[in-house]
Amino acid sequence: MQRITAPDGADIVLHSTGTGPGLVVVHGGGVTIAEYRRLAARLAERFTVHLYNRRGRADAPPRREPYTVEQEIDDLGAVLAHTGTRWAVGHSYGAFVVLRAALRLPLDRIAVYDTPLRLAGHGMPMAFLEPAEAAVRAGQTARALAIVAAAVDPQNPASRLPLPVRAAITRLFLRTEVGRTMGALVGMTLAESRQILAYEGPAEQYAGITAATLLISGARAAPFFTETNELLAAALPHARTLSVPGSPHNGIAVAPPALITPLSAFFTAPGDHEVDGDRSDAEHR
């Protein structure tokens, strides 16, 4: 464990494991780095994996208000500078952070899993925001989480249940360690979703990313993640897509071989832009 200094003077606690080239993991919304232990352990066989809790969590400093994704990019920049790595992996909102960061930070290779973008009317629907925010204001954490879960994972059979039933199920989930974490962070999750909405625009806004890019989606995750990747792949100069069979939205935390093998190959392949040419991985579709 190391402590590094963010641009605003706050302490970022860095957790590193493994040996080999450095790789930074940026976690998703509503969780901490604890959910990525298996991913880190499996990547640590070939990489030095660096993880840090984003602000407002565990050993991280508080967020500055008003919150913007630029804070996340500043913190990631500090981690990259300290570790000397130019490689990053992002999941969900962390994927959004990595893509935005790649527009201004020195990143050579990035991999993003289930990126929740809004691309000129396409991508992740955001109609859940207002009712979820209203539930948070009313102190109805279970209701808010149930609304968010159905939006992120709409193909899950539970997402089609009436909201009161989903809220009742979520109240049981809130008794678990993961549930308590997600409940405590639901307000932050919605603030992050507002940032995604604030950056809605055409996929071409990401065309300035020069890093070799692997756009990953879980085959069992919501179809809009795959749609987003296809739109980005057409706009980014050095990108390809990968659909991981049988993998849900949290599949990156499960870290199956169908993900770890191509992910490791992407970061160890020779050349700066080895993803040029074919923009999809048919073997994993």
Side-chain angles (χ1 to χ4, degrees):
M1 185 177 71
Q2 304 175 65
R3 290 186 179 274
I4 63 178
T5 304
D8 64 354
D11 283 342
I12 299 172
V13 179
L14 189 66
H15 303 260
S16 303
T17 184
T19 57
L23 183 66
V24 176
V25 175
V26 184
H27 68 75
V31 295
T32 70
I33 61 172
E35 299 306 307
Y36 299 81
R37 286 173 292 195
R38 182 177 297 179
L39 173 71
R42 292 184 175 174
L43 288 175
E45 296 176 7
R46 302 183 69 174
F47 306 96
T48 301
V49 184
H50 304 289
L51 303 99
Y52 64 99
N53 282 305
R54 296 194 287 107
R55 297 197 182 206
R57 297 163 172 82
D59 54 10
R63 283 183 172 177
R64 300 192 311 272
E65 296 298 338
Y67 169 73
T68 70
V69 71
E70 293 299 316
Q71 297 174 35
E72 308 281 5
I73 297 171
D74 287 344
D75 288 351
L76 175 56
V79 172
L80 294 173
H82 178 82
T83 60
T85 185
R86 292 173 176 255
W87 298 352
V89 176
H91 173 219
S92 196
Y93 187 75
F96 172 67
V97 171
V98 169
L99 281 177
R100 298 303 309 180
L103 290 168
R104 71 171 174 90
L105 295 182
L107 285 160
D108 292 337
R109 302 187 194 192
I110 60 173
V112 291
Y113 186 106
D114 279 3
T115 310
L117 297 183
R118 287 294 301 166
L119 298 175
H122 299 279
M124 183 172 174
M126 289 291 179
F128 73 94
L129 264 176
E130 289 190 5
E133 289 168 339
V136 169
R137 289 193 298 269
Q140 298 172 329
T141 301
R143 183 182 179 90
L145 275 182
I147 292 169
V148 173
V152 175
D153 197 14
Q155 76 285 359
N156 188 318
S159 296
R160 295 190 286 271
L161 295 172
L163 178 54
V165 176
R166 287 187 277 124
I169 294 171
T170 304
R171 277 191 286 274
L172 296 176
F173 174 62
L174 286 169
R175 298 178 183 177
T176 68
E177 181 178 354
V178 175
R180 285 191 293 272
T181 298
M182 294 186 73
L185 295 174
V186 66
M188 290 187 182
T189 300
L190 296 175
E192 292 169 355
S193 299
R194 282 290 175 190
Q195 283 294 289
I196 293 168
L197 190 58
Y199 283 89
E200 178 169 5
E204 286 72 21
Q205 68 179 295
Y206 294 96
I209 293 176
T210 58
T213 304
L214 184 60
L215 302 162
I216 312 169
S217 59
R220 284 181 51 212
F224 54 73
F225 291 120
T226 296
E227 177 191 33
T228 293
N229 284 354
E230 291 170 349
L231 291 169
L232 287 173
L236 272 62
H238 309 294
R240 70 183 293 177
T241 62
L242 169 69
S243 178
V244 183
S247 190
H249 182 60
N250 69 338
I252 189 171
V254 178
L259 170 63
I260 297 301
T261 299
L263 185 62
S264 298
F266 168 73
F267 281 109
T268 55
D272 290 336
H273 296 119
E274 65 283 347
V275 295
D276 284 354
D278 180 21
R279 289 181 173 270
S280 67
D281 193 332
E283 179 182 355
H284 294 284
R285 284 194 174 278

